[in-house]
Amino acid sequence: MSALLLLQVEAASPDGVVQGGWDYVVAAYAISAAVFFFYAVTVVVRLRRAKDVQ
Amino acid sequence: MGFLLVAVGVVLLLSGSWYGLFVSPQERYMGDVQRIMYVHVPTAWNALLLFTFAMGCALMSLWRGGWGWDAHHEALLEGAAVLSALLCVQGAIWARPTWGVWWDWDPRLTTTAVMFLALLGILALRSAVDDPEKRATWSAVATIIAFVDVPIVYFSVRWWNSLHQMQSSPETVSAPFIVPLRLNAFGVLALMGGLALLRARVAARRTARELGPALEPLPAGALVEAR
């Protein structure tokens, strides 16, 4: 528990500014891009299947 | 039109994300982590917007009838659900380095989770009902009831004490942050709007198959109520 708190304290400098954090930024953008891409693929695949059935 | 909007959305999103990641300056207190805002806030705005459009389609479906409204209703519900899920994940990733936790039962987060679950519930209802007429009516009513949560999500940060910051606007955000925010906001809108148009075609074709016999050629001069 104390190690966890220490890790959290280390993330901020003494003046309260969050240090680093690019890994979180990259994760947020990568997940967003993946969700948009895969959702678009599912829509296009379903549209093609619907056209084939017709 | 759908594919064109998707293409416009991709270009806007790539431009906005490049600007947000590499051109826009660091925020004074959150540093680089604040760059998550350029995908998180546009996702939030568009999740609420798509749900609002879905509610409009639900109202029109009940009031005017017509399968087009129902097809767009389904497409917009699905888009809003995708954005709500993504919103929760992005929020958790931003919360960890700034709040120290992945999740908190804070009013904004809780009402957003409720919105996501409500959207999933309505989509589950639609997939469980085989009769197109009942499916359209029941899901439209469910959407109108669930839409009550949208203003609660939006105003929750003002109505209750919240860990979450107030809504961002050009008045509350420094000028260099506005360009990527707007590019990505219109990018998500164009992308999800285009995908909703394409997804509505899928729903319309399924409904046409389900109503097959009713769509057979009618005798010349026949007048048939739309729905």
Side-chain angles (χ1 to χ4, degrees):
Chain A
M1 184 64 184
S2 57
L4 186 67
L5 285 173
L6 185 63
L7 281 173
Q8 289 180 12
V9 169
E10 281 174 353
S13 66
D15 56 358
V17 178
V18 177
Q19 301 295 312
W22 266 104
D23 43 353
Y24 292 102
V25 177
V26 170
Y29 278 75
I31 289 171
S32 303
V35 167
F36 288 137
F37 176 76
F38 285 111
Y39 181 59
V41 168
T42 66
V43 171
V44 172
V45 167
R46 282 182 286 175
L47 184 61
R48 288 201 174 155
R49 278 187 192 154
K51 281 180 182 170
D52 290 343
V53 171
Q54 294 250 314
Chain B
M1 182 66 177
F3 284 109
L4 178 66
L5 274 176
V6 169
V8 169
V10 170
V11 171
L12 286 173
L13 274 170
L14 287 174
S15 312
S17 299
W18 172 79
Y19 198 107
L21 286 171
F22 305 115
V23 179
S24 198
Q26 280 190 341
E27 201 272 339
R28 185 181 301 173
Y29 298 107
M30 285 188 276
D32 287 316
V33 171
Q34 174 270 343
R35 296 178 198 280
I36 295 172
M37 179 181 81
Y38 306 127
V39 284
H40 181 63
V41 173
T43 303
W45 286 342
N46 283 288
L48 297 178
L49 198 60
L50 259 60
F51 200 169
T52 305
F53 288 156
M55 198 277 292
C57 288
L59 277 175
M60 291 304 287
S61 174
L62 287 176
W63 181 39
R64 299 288 299 272
W67 295 108
W69 293 115
D70 183 57
H72 285 88
H73 175 216
E74 179 176 312
L76 289 162
L77 281 175
E78 191 177 277
V82 168
L83 289 182
S84 301
L86 179 59
L87 180 61
C88 291
V89 174
Q90 292 167 340
I93 294 171
W94 197 359
R96 185 66 183 82
T98 51
W99 298 347
V101 291
W102 295 102
W103 182 265
D104 184 82
W105 293 104
D106 156 279
R108 168 58 73 87
L109 276 63
T110 306
T111 52
T112 304
V114 167
M115 181 173 78
F116 171 59
L117 293 174
L119 287 162
L120 279 191
I122 301 166
L123 288 169
L125 171 70
R126 287 190 66 89
S127 62
V129 179
D130 292 329
D131 180 357
E133 192 80 45
K134 286 179 182 167
R135 183 172 61 219
T137 305
W138 293 356
S139 64
V141 171
T143 298
I144 293 165
I145 293 170
F147 184 76
V148 171
D149 190 44
V150 169
I152 298 175
V153 170
Y154 187 77
F155 290 109
S156 58
V157 287
R158 294 183 187 274
W159 290 345
W160 296 291
N161 288 326
S162 179
L163 266 175
H164 197 282
Q165 68 187 68
M166 290 280 184
Q167 296 97 338
S168 301
S169 72
E171 289 75 35
T172 60
V173 171
S174 293
F177 303 156
I178 293 173
V179 173
L181 200 53
R182 283 196 176 151
L183 281 172
N184 277 355
F186 285 109
V188 175
L189 179 61
L191 177 68
M192 295 307 286
L195 289 175
L197 288 177
L198 298 175
R199 177 64 182 79
R201 279 198 233 164
V202 177
R205 282 167 197 262
R206 187 205 56 226
T207 307
R209 277 200 311 278
E210 290 168 338
L211 297 169
L215 296 179
E216 282 176 0
L218 295 165
L223 296 173
V224 180
E225 189 181 355
R227 198 186 116 210

